[in-house]
Amino acid sequence: MIYFYNTLTKRKQVFKSIKDKQVGLYTCGPTVYSTAHIGNLRTYIFGDILKRVLLYQGYKVKHVMNITDVGHLTSDADTGEDKVEKAAKKSKKSAFEIAEFYTKSFFTDCKKLNILAPDIIAKATDHIKEDIELIKSLEKNNFTYQTSDGIYFDTSKLKDYGKLTGMNFKKLNKTLKAGARIELSPEKKNITDFSLWKFSPKNSKRQMEWESPWGRGFPGWHIECSVINLKYLGKAFKGKRFLPKKAQTIDIHTGGTDLIPIHHTNEIAQVEAITNKRFVNFWLHGEFLILKDARMGKSESNAILIKNIEESGFSPLSFRYLVLNSHYRTSLEFSQKALENAQESLNNIHNFILDCLIDNKKIQKKKTSTFSLNEIKKEFEKSINDDLNTPRALAAFWKLIKDYYQIRNNPKKVYEIALSFDKVLGLGLDKIKLVIPPKKIKELAKKREQLRKMRKWAEADKIRKIIEKSGFLLEDTKKGTIIKPKL
Ligand SMILES: [Zn+2]
């Protein structure tokens, strides 16, 4: 049994998919106006772990992600500029070029972090017609009203608006009013109301704009996610035609905790107002990454990118390890020291895999195991099934490593178990191969040994450096020097 903490019910629940052994999974994708920072990427690593746990447990997963290339404004209050258009103006590129550039950069970073690619990647700009269909449906059912700048959703008309926040309509309105982030524009009826369609400004032309029954403009940010969910997982569209009665509930929807009060709350409202059916069964949310008492944000110009991590000599997977080492529902404090420790742990794991491979070549006879591999496996699986408890799963992995080094038997089996764990952890252990050093390297290593015996340290060190440059490392042990491929 797998347990997930469901934001909707505020408790851990046994996960049950709607269809047997099949899961529809939706992840809110990036707004592609700048490079995703490691705080954003932490959320995607969490989503990746979730997907990998489901796959590990034998589910067939259909994973859908949107790309927000239009409609995400600089303010949550439906005012301000479109983030992508703003970035385009600044860099003198087209909005479409900006979106394409940052979409590519996002998936390049995801690949470096070993995040599995979604099965369907859907751009907001490819779904404008479907957006209009859904808005028309909301209009027909009296959930909308028009202001001078767009079409809005009247949140007071939906009985359980805001349920994801755990607050009722009145309390949510009061809370949002108290927060400085949202201002009530004079034409909005309730502070929680949000735009479905925004009109293009009268005196300037947008790069991304479309005709609609209400006038030229662009969709609101929330509508794209509702539509893409309904289309690819909820099966409520036939081509571009909207068939709300056919809508099916979706298994899991994920994102960062910052999306709960507005974006996800509004996604639910738009769908449930029309379908009268539960939109999503399980809502899972990842916590923030923190830099010395401050949440990392682009506006605070303290964003750290994967590029920066690489430039400092760390591997992107060391960041993944760091993320795995804290639970997704607790905030993670990022520091150089924490990353250094993560890199060291990752190197040790890589070395352990190499040792298993080397031992497997050397040890011909299998000794019976004196430590219980099954128990370690059980502990690992119990941890991942308990609301994705990756720190505990890592602890089980370290127990495997520690026990192995004490006895060093059955390397083949231990290697297989380690790799099966890595199907969830995603630390790239399957890529570690035992490379036999070429003759030249072996000869150099021998020469170095001789020099060391003659206490010619400086010359020996020069040779070590040459060997390292060729992609190998030397490990001096009591039994002699071992040549290992550099990771
Ligand atoms: Zn979304």
Side-chain angles (χ1 to χ4, degrees):
M1 272 200 280
I2 309 180
Y3 292 84
F4 291 139
Y5 180 86
N6 189 352
T7 310
L8 193 62
T9 57
K10 309 271 176 291
R11 61 187 172 87
K12 259 195 225 177
Q13 276 176 273
V14 176
F15 174 67
K16 257 193 99 170
S17 57
I18 296 160
K19 278 190 191 152
D20 194 34
K21 283 287 164 192
Q22 285 184 44
V23 178
L25 169 65
Y26 187 87
T27 305
C28 280
T31 302
V32 282
Y33 70 106
S34 70
T35 311
H37 56 65
I38 57 170
N40 306 130
L41 292 165
R42 183 197 181 191
T43 307
Y44 294 101
I45 294 175
F46 140 64
D48 187 55
I49 296 296
L50 166 65
K51 181 177 172 182
R52 284 169 177 270
V53 166
L54 292 165
L55 290 169
Y56 183 93
Q57 298 298 1
Y59 286 93
K60 214 176 142 204
V61 180
K62 184 173 178 186
H63 183 205
V64 179
M65 186 189 281
N66 69 302
I67 299 291
T68 302
D69 51 0
V70 69
H72 196 164
L73 303 185
T74 47
S75 148
D76 278 342
D78 299 304
T79 56
E81 284 179 86
D82 185 311
K83 290 184 177 184
V84 175
E85 295 245 346
K86 188 182 171 190
K89 251 185 244 160
K90 221 170 144 190
S91 65
K92 297 200 169 65
K93 283 188 179 139
S94 81
F96 290 94
E97 280 168 343
I98 288 290
E100 200 191 321
F101 179 83
Y102 288 111
T103 302
K104 261 195 197 146
S105 123
F106 172 74
F107 285 110
T108 305
D109 283 347
C110 284
K111 209 170 168 197
K112 286 180 182 168
L113 291 167
N114 236 346
I115 294 171
L116 301 172
D119 302 292
I120 292 171
I121 298 164
K123 287 197 283 188
T125 47
D126 286 340
H127 297 80
I128 306 296
K129 272 207 175 116
E130 290 91 326
D131 294 342
I132 292 171
E133 285 297 304
L134 179 55
I135 300 167
K136 265 162 60 185
S137 208
L138 287 165
E139 187 179 43
K140 213 165 83 192
N141 286 278
N142 292 320
F143 280 102
T144 67
Y145 62 90
Q146 186 163 344
T147 72
S148 59
D149 73 357
I151 305 294
Y152 282 78
F153 186 103
D154 186 345
T155 51
S156 68
K157 295 216 168 144
L158 191 71
K159 200 175 79 238
D160 52 4
Y161 179 83
K163 62 182 171 186
L164 195 63
T165 63
M167 288 182 258
N168 63 24
F169 181 74
K170 237 183 174 171
K171 191 159 178 224
L172 184 56
N173 265 270
K174 227 173 140 188
T175 309
L176 289 178
K177 223 175 255 178
R181 278 173 72 199
I182 293 192
E183 278 170 54
L184 182 61
S185 78
E187 289 181 87
K188 266 204 211 180
K189 290 184 185 168
N190 309 288
I191 198 164
T192 42
D193 292 356
F194 56 92
S195 72
L196 299 161
W197 188 264
K198 288 273 283 185
F199 301 136
S200 292
K202 286 195 179 76
N203 37 18
S204 66
K205 194 171 157 43
R206 281 176 56 95
Q207 295 186 39
M208 289 178 165
E209 57 179 16
W210 296 266
E211 293 300 335
S212 83
W214 314 280
R216 185 178 302 168
F218 60 101
W221 172 32
H222 320 301
I223 199 93
E224 62 171 285
C225 278
S226 291
V227 155
I228 292 168
N229 265 286
L230 284 174
K231 180 161 181 158
Y232 299 100
L233 295 169
K235 303 208 166 109
F237 279 92
K238 198 169 183 192
K240 306 254 178 211
R241 230 174 75 227
F242 184 38
L243 307 164
K245 279 190 187 137
K246 298 240 164 169
Q248 294 172 11
T249 299
I250 289 148
D251 289 304
I252 309 176
H253 193 311
T254 70
T257 48
D258 53 330
L259 299 182
I260 297 170
I262 297 174
H263 183 56
H264 286 170
T265 287
N266 294 342
E267 270 190 59
I268 294 174
Q270 291 165 146
V271 175
E272 295 191 357
I274 293 301
T275 62
N276 291 314
K277 208 184 250 179
R278 186 187 268 189
F279 173 37
V280 172
N281 273 345
F282 281 79
W283 285 89
L284 271 68
H285 290 98
E287 260 303 334
F288 286 139
L289 184 137
I290 291 170
L291 288 178
K292 282 185 205 151
D293 307 322
R295 177 190 150 196
M296 193 189 307
K298 280 165 190 158
S299 49
E300 285 125 46
S301 69
N302 59 357
I304 296 173
L305 313 178
I306 287 299
K307 191 179 78 180
N308 305 131
I309 285 184
E310 286 178 305
E311 282 166 358
S312 317
F314 297 100
S315 80
L317 289 179
S318 69
F319 175 64
R320 184 176 173 107
Y321 184 92
L322 181 64
V323 169
L324 292 175
N325 214 7
S326 68
H327 191 259
Y328 78 92
R329 284 197 293 119
T330 58
S331 49
L332 163 63
E333 200 177 315
F334 180 87
S335 67
Q336 168 100 7
K337 185 83 200 125
L339 192 64
E340 276 169 21
N341 290 340
Q343 182 74 63
E344 201 187 324
S345 299
L346 186 65
N347 291 349
N348 288 337
I349 290 177
H350 282 193
N351 265 321
F352 153 73
I353 293 293
L354 267 180
D355 284 334
C356 285
L357 290 168
I358 293 166
D359 289 351
N360 191 37
K361 285 206 114 191
K362 280 195 294 198
I363 301 168
Q364 298 297 329
K365 234 167 127 192
K366 253 188 230 162
K367 290 184 237 165
T368 40
S369 189
T370 45
F371 63 96
S372 171
L373 291 175
N374 276 344
E375 227 138 84
I376 291 175
K377 208 170 167 213
K378 247 191 237 161
E379 179 55 32
F380 180 86
E381 287 172 0
K382 201 175 129 199
S383 307
I384 57 169
N385 290 347
D386 180 14
D387 195 27
L388 315 175
N389 196 329
T390 48
R392 252 183 30 217
L394 277 178
F397 194 7
W398 280 107
K399 181 156 177 31
L400 176 77
I401 297 173
K402 205 175 135 227
D403 285 1
Y404 179 72
Y405 278 129
Q406 270 175 12
I407 320 156
R408 287 187 99 120
N409 63 8
N410 215 347
K412 192 164 181 258
K413 180 88 189 145
V414 170
Y415 173 80
E416 279 166 12
I417 290 177
L419 253 66
S420 79
F421 289 178
D422 202 45
K423 288 240 184 293
V424 172
L425 304 173
L427 298 172
L429 305 186
D430 56 335
K431 295 198 180 72
I432 298 170
K433 297 275 180 288
L434 193 59
V435 185
I436 312 279
K439 210 172 149 197
K440 201 182 127 206
I441 298 290
K442 279 187 193 162
E443 277 167 6
L444 279 171
K446 231 181 227 168
K447 201 171 159 196
R448 173 177 168 270
E449 287 240 12
Q450 284 162 358
L451 287 167
R452 277 161 60 91
K453 272 180 197 154
M454 293 174 346
R455 298 182 171 264
K456 293 187 175 170
W457 307 116
E459 282 174 62
D461 215 42
K462 260 188 205 161
I463 293 182
R464 185 181 55 81
K465 277 182 188 149
I466 296 170
I467 292 174
E468 277 183 15
K469 269 196 184 150
S470 317
F472 290 90
L473 284 176
L474 298 174
E475 198 181 301
D476 299 313
T477 70
K478 278 177 198 163
K479 286 178 188 168
T481 304
I482 297 171
I483 309 169
K484 286 181 172 176
K486 214 168 158 184
L487 300 167

